[in-house]
């Protein structure tokens, strides 16, 4: 797993800290039952003054594209969808965060969310 330092994102009076983590998981992929689960790109967010972090996980798989040698770090995309998210861009992080907050994500405890569930709505927030 590769870790980066937290970056700061100010939204109104709230200060969020975020980083992108690339995760290699070994073992059995629960979706396919085969050995060695695919890589994941994880957007890890914390809110200052809160004890929890929200980890938004984009796990690679059929039609789910994460950095594995063909995509740049932080890039996530779905086959057949026009557009992708770059989790190193503050505007893209804001779109994902706003989507997660709209769905009830809270920072009171550590929580892991499926990033692909948020993907389309986050892309829509980025539309011109």
């Amino acid at each position: 797993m590769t870790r980066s330092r937290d970056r700061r994102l100010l939204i109104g009076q709230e200060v969020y800290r975020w980083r992108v983590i690339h995760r290699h998981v070994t073992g059995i992929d629960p979706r396919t039952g085969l050995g060695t689960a695919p890589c994941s790109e994880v957007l890890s967010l914390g809110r200052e003054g809160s004890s929890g972090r929200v980890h938004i996980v984009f796990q690679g798989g059929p039609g789910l594209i994460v950095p594995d040698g063909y995509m740049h770090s932080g890039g996530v995309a779905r086959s057949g969808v026009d557009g992708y998210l770059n989790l190193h861009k503050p505007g893209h992080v804001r779109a994902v965060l706003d989507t997660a907050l709209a769905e009830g994500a809270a920072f009171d405890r550590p929580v892991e969310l499926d990033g692909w569930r948020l993907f389309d709505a986050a892309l829509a927030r980025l539309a011109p």
Side-chain angles (χ1 to χ4, degrees), residues 84-86 90-96 119-128:
Y84 80 105
L85 295 172
N86 182 342
H92 290 214
V93 170
R94 170 77 189 263
V96 174
F119 185 80
D120 291 326
L123 275 182
R125 290 178 187 270
L126 293 172

Side-chain angles (χ1 to χ4, degrees), residues 12-98:
Q13 298 297 315
E14 298 289 342
V15 177
Y16 294 89
R17 300 286 179 170
W18 60 281
R19 73 178 82 149
V20 178
I21 303 163
H22 185 76
R23 186 164 62 185
H24 293 274
V25 181
T26 56
I28 303 299
D29 182 343
R31 291 189 283 186
T32 65
L34 302 174
T36 309
C39 299
S40 296
E41 208 69 353
V42 181
L43 175 60
S44 178
L45 296 142
R47 186 174 61 209
E48 286 191 359
S50 298
S51 59
R53 281 188 86 83
V54 174
H55 304 282
I56 301 173
V57 180
F58 294 88
Q59 184 173 351
L64 305 174
I65 304 163
V66 299
D68 61 358
Y70 296 106
M71 176 75 83
H72 63 81
S73 171
V76 294
R78 241 185 23 236
S79 296
V81 174
D82 188 24
Y84 80 105
L85 295 172
N86 182 342
L87 303 178
H88 289 299
K89 288 187 171 185
H92 290 214
V93 170
R94 170 77 189 263
V96 174
L97 174 59
D98 286 347

